[in-house]
Amino acid sequence: MAGDQLESTRLALRDAVAQAERAAELARLLDAAQAKIADAERASAEANTLRERLEQAEKGLAAAQAAEEKLRRDLAEQRYQAEVARWKLSSVQVARWSRLGDAIKTGKSNPVRLARGLRGAAKPAKRPVAPKRQPIPVTKKTDRQVPGASFQATTSTRIIGGASVKLKPFRVPTGPNTRPHLTAAVVAEPHAEALLRYEWRQTAGFTPGDFARALSAEIPHLLLVESVTGGPWADEVREAGPALRALLAWCAERGIRTVFWHTHGEVGRFAAAASLFEHVVSALPGTVKEWGATLAAREPEPGRRPPSLGLLPFAVQPRVHNPLPLAGDRFDRVLTLAELLPDHLAYPDVLTSYRWPRAVYCPPGTEPWRMAELAACGTPITPVNPAEPVAATPSQAGPPAPPDALALSADDRRAHVALRQSYAAGTMSQKVDDLLGAVGLPSARATLNISVILIDRGDLDHALAQVAPQKGVVQLVVLSDAPDAAERARAAMPDRVDVAARRTESGLTLGGMLNRALDLCEGDLVAVMDGRDLYGEHYLTDLARPFLFTTADIVGKAAYFAHMRDVAATVLRQPSAEYSYLPEVSGATLLARRTVLRGIGFADVSEGWDEVLMRQCRADGIKVFSADRYGYVCVRDRDRWLLGAARLVDYGPPEPHALV
């Protein structure tokens, strides 16, 4: 009897613990929902304020357009009345009685002239045509200007070896920016402006004569002035002129932080102007010591403190330095840097040239930032100078052979590794984070934290080994039948990763389980990984990168490697599907924004859930982007479907080809 009571008590206690766990999870979800509601309310209030300001601006614009239209109508009417007056005068002058009177007046003292004049006046004369009222010209409404709209490539022709080659210019994106809450006034040359324009709401183009009017429309939080050598501010920066002092005084009155950015030129040339700023940063690490000595030797002006000193080096800007290709194939030649970037190119045209050739030779001494930008655009950098002849043996005499598929594949792999390294060295967003922290401004921006939903296919250790080395993962949700899945997952994953495990249920489809797992996800992005397949250690880092330079809500792979064990064959599916917006990607490579994925949900099916998801994306207009081919291998015993649109790579293991 006592044993039964003890057993019933144990069961009741177990149920109570389970209910407590569910209650705790519900409480956590409720707190998270309330926090999101509060954030949404704050965002709504800010949106309402911005909407009111926009409405006022639109009303002012409408009033100005109405006044302009009225002036245009008045001007057209005045022009018409002037034409009518000239027509009336001409009509009077050609009338017969008017011409007779003129003849009599001029010939009254000369009978011969009088007779000739009367004879001419008697002839009929052509009367002028009455003017017609012309329609009022209507001004064509142009689209509202957005940042970057005037910063576009203009040169589409390159001259190589005396031959003209035409290419389609790269379209520089116009938005959005990384920190919409922050406004910066920037005086910079095109290269620096391209690096900074996506980091905040940027005001540029103001001059020494109109800065007060231009900046009063939206008071900036920060003024950043580069060591410019051209443009309206060049003399002011070189001589610490009165307009620069007035600009800094205007900023001081409003509590605006001021930063001088040294990017090129001698330190002493800009020391006088830099000493007027609150902060001095240099893009050249080798000049920091010289700047320190120069600023320490200068006595600050009365009422000014010596500026602080820091670094803001050039770095990759994902919005413009990315592997998005130009239209058409690459130019099938290796070019020198001088051939690729002639001096006359503006920086938007430089961004086009970066993406153009098959490879580029960069001579020793090339600036590291230039090589990083080239690598970030996916262009291989070769150590071989194409301008230098290569000694050939007699058997190799003759024209050089075109590169074979293996050589091109090796170039592609090297280019992908270089791209990854250029981003790993730090993007401009990360450098600006450091700058804002140094000057005391908030650097908050959207993150790309990832929650992973892992589907265990029977080999949990293999599946966990694919996720454990990934960077950027904050949460792992395992769908597994293993009774100790949670413990094994916690042991395999780093301490920073929150782990949850869910057992499969007989009444649920795979899509239903994915929906339950999705409800637990808290990361900004959600990845679905299949335990059967192979994932490289850089898989998620590479896959998340397109969110920095595209407007896609879902990223995956339509070009990827596949391995079939029955014939030990490795194939490459859809090799031309890299870096493009496509109708669908593989479900085992899915990485999506959590909010978007929750809005769509997974279909309640076990097979083909990814195909249904892609159809829903097409129906809802959700953009899907296919990333690079590397870092993932679809592994099957046999699957004839994988052979469609595929190219045989090798008979052997896939790792050397796919996991770079």
Side-chain angles (χ1 to χ4, degrees):
M1 187 68 176
D4 294 341
Q5 291 179 350
L6 182 60
E7 182 63 24
S8 62
T9 303
R10 187 181 295 111
L11 293 175
L13 183 59
R14 184 184 302 168
D15 293 340
V17 170
Q19 291 178 1
E21 290 179 352
R22 287 195 293 270
E25 186 172 355
L26 289 174
R28 181 182 60 79
L29 293 174
L30 179 60
D31 292 341
Q34 289 176 343
K36 292 176 183 176
I37 290 172
D39 292 341
E41 289 177 349
R42 286 194 296 270
S44 178
E46 294 176 359
N48 289 334
T49 302
L50 293 175
R51 190 181 299 109
E52 291 175 358
R53 292 175 59 185
L54 178 61
E55 290 176 353
Q56 293 175 358
E58 288 177 344
K59 289 180 181 178
L61 178 62
Q65 289 175 341
E68 180 186 1
E69 191 66 24
K70 184 177 183 303
L71 290 174
R72 190 179 294 106
R73 287 197 300 268
D74 292 345
L75 178 61
E77 182 63 24
Q78 291 175 5
R79 287 176 176 171
Y80 172 69
Q81 295 299 337
E83 291 291 335
V84 170
R86 282 194 290 270
W87 169 73
K88 289 181 178 179
L89 177 61
S90 300
S91 299
V92 170
Q93 289 174 343
V94 300
R96 180 173 297 180
W97 58 268
S98 178
R99 288 184 287 124
L100 287 173
D102 291 340
I104 293 172
K105 182 178 179 180
T106 56
K108 60 182 178 180
S109 58
N110 188 332
V112 175
R113 183 183 301 170
L114 176 63
R116 188 181 298 116
L118 291 175
R119 191 180 305 111
K123 295 179 180 179
K126 185 178 180 181
R127 302 181 69 86
V129 180
K132 295 182 179 180
R133 193 183 297 273
Q134 298 295 325
I136 299 173
V138 179
T139 57
K140 183 180 179 180
K141 294 184 179 180
T142 58
D143 295 334
R144 183 177 299 172
Q145 293 294 316
V146 293
S150 60
F151 191 80
Q152 296 295 337
T154 56
T155 304
S156 59
T157 303
R158 302 290 186 273
I159 306 297
I160 301 296
S164 176
V165 183
K166 199 166 185 67
L167 64 160
K168 186 174 182 180
F170 171 71
R171 190 182 188 285
V172 181
T174 57
N177 56 56
T178 304
R179 302 172 186 85
H181 63 279
L182 199 64
T183 301
V186 174
V187 175
E189 293 177 347
H191 179 203
E193 185 185 349
L195 300 181
L196 296 173
R197 67 187 310 132
Y198 305 100
E199 298 301 323
W200 41 46
R201 293 198 309 271
Q202 184 158 297
T203 303
F206 53 91
T207 65
D210 70 350
F211 70 84
R213 177 187 59 80
L215 300 184
S216 296
E218 184 175 8
I219 302 297
H221 303 90
L222 173 72
L223 169 69
L224 189 146
V225 177
E226 187 195 3
S227 54
V228 293
T229 56
W233 288 97
D235 293 338
E236 296 292 326
V237 171
R238 184 174 59 253
E239 302 172 359
L244 180 64
R245 293 176 180 272
L247 173 61
L248 294 173
W250 187 88
C251 292
E253 292 174 359
R254 292 157 178 81
I256 300 170
R257 272 75 162 185
T258 57
V259 178
F260 182 82
W261 189 19
H262 176 234
T263 58
H264 53 265
E266 298 178 359
V267 170
R269 183 180 183 184
F270 302 103
S275 63
L276 304 176
F277 289 75
E278 296 175 317
H279 309 273
V280 175
V281 293
S282 177
L284 312 171
T287 64
V288 173
K289 185 176 181 180
E290 185 179 358
W291 268 111
T294 301
L295 295 175
R298 297 184 64 90
E299 286 291 333
E301 296 185 358
R304 294 184 185 275
R305 293 183 298 177
S308 66
L309 184 61
L311 266 175
L312 181 61
F314 288 154
V316 169
Q317 171 52 257
R319 300 303 308 282
V320 295
H321 306 130
N322 55 62
L324 292 176
L326 299 180
D329 296 331
R330 284 181 177 264
F331 184 53
D332 193 18
R333 272 189 58 182
V334 178
L335 302 179
T336 64
L337 198 59
E339 290 175 319
L340 182 70
L341 303 175
D343 294 335
H344 69 276
L345 289 186
Y347 195 71
D349 298 306
V350 169
L351 297 175
T352 298
S353 291
Y354 279 164
R355 295 164 165 82
W356 179 42
R358 176 165 62 84
V360 176
Y361 166 71
C362 295
T366 302
E367 298 91 339
W369 60 263
R370 177 76 75 186
M371 298 180 69
E373 290 181 358
L374 273 167
C377 293
T379 299
I381 299 174
T382 177
V384 179
N385 186 351
E388 296 180 357
V390 179
T393 62
S395 61
Q396 294 174 330
D404 58 18
L406 290 178
L408 291 177
S409 178
D411 285 345
D412 290 342
R413 290 197 296 272
R414 285 195 295 268
H416 182 73
V417 172
L419 183 154
R420 181 189 297 149
Q421 293 172 344
S422 68
Y423 272 82
T427 64
M428 204 63 203
S429 297
Q430 294 166 326
K431 307 301 181 185
V432 171
D433 283 343
D434 297 337
L435 171 68
L436 296 177
V439 304
L441 289 173
S443 59
R445 56 187 174 91
T447 61
L448 295 177
N449 295 329
I450 302 173
S451 292
V452 175
I453 301 175
L454 178 62
I455 306 171
D456 176 23
R457 300 289 188 172
D459 190 349
L460 183 58
D461 291 336
H462 169 80
L464 292 173
Q466 309 305 307
V467 187
Q470 304 294 330
K471 303 294 188 298
V473 178
V474 297
Q475 184 185 27
L476 172 64
V477 182
V478 182
L479 301 178
S480 175
D481 285 329
D484 57 346
E487 291 76 11
R488 291 162 66 181
R490 291 189 183 95
M493 299 301 295
D495 294 338
R496 69 177 186 276
V497 179
D498 182 28
V499 175
R502 290 294 179 266
R503 298 284 303 271
T504 58
E505 299 180 18
S506 58
L508 281 180
T509 62
L510 179 57
M513 290 188 291
L514 288 172
N515 275 324
R516 288 196 174 185
L518 181 60
D519 291 338
L520 300 176
C521 292
E522 298 177 349
D524 304 294
L525 305 175
V526 175
V528 178
M529 297 175 64
D530 194 320
R532 294 174 293 183
D533 300 331
L534 290 175
Y535 298 87
E537 61 176 319
H538 303 286
Y539 164 74
L540 284 179
T541 304
D542 290 345
L543 198 60
R545 191 176 301 121
F547 286 103
L548 299 176
F549 56 82
T550 70
T551 57
D553 291 314
I554 294 179
V555 174
K557 294 180 185 291
Y560 57 88
F561 290 89
H563 182 74
M564 286 162 286
R565 295 192 185 99
D566 59 345
V567 291
T570 298
V571 299
L572 174 59
R573 295 201 73 246
Q574 303 183 91
S576 62
E578 290 183 296
Y579 298 120
S580 57
Y581 292 95
L582 292 176
E584 60 183 27
V585 293
S586 172
T589 66
L590 183 73
L591 182 64
R593 298 188 188 277
R594 174 171 51 87
T595 53
V596 173
L597 197 56
R598 281 186 172 174
I600 305 172
F602 295 98
D604 190 16
V605 295
S606 291
E607 297 294 335
W609 59 267
D610 52 344
E611 298 177 5
V612 178
L613 180 67
M614 293 297 105
R615 284 200 297 270
Q616 188 63 47
C617 290
R618 293 193 291 272
D620 294 348
I622 295 172
K623 290 186 177 180
V624 178
F625 186 80
S626 174
D628 60 87
R629 69 184 68 175
Y630 300 106
Y632 167 73
V633 181
C634 178
V635 180
R636 299 292 184 269
D637 290 332
R638 61 181 63 83
D639 193 334
R640 300 180 68 178
W641 177 83
L642 289 174
L643 297 176
R647 185 183 74 200
L648 178 65
V649 175
D650 193 11
Y651 284 102
E655 287 85 351
H657 306 282
L659 306 186
V660 297

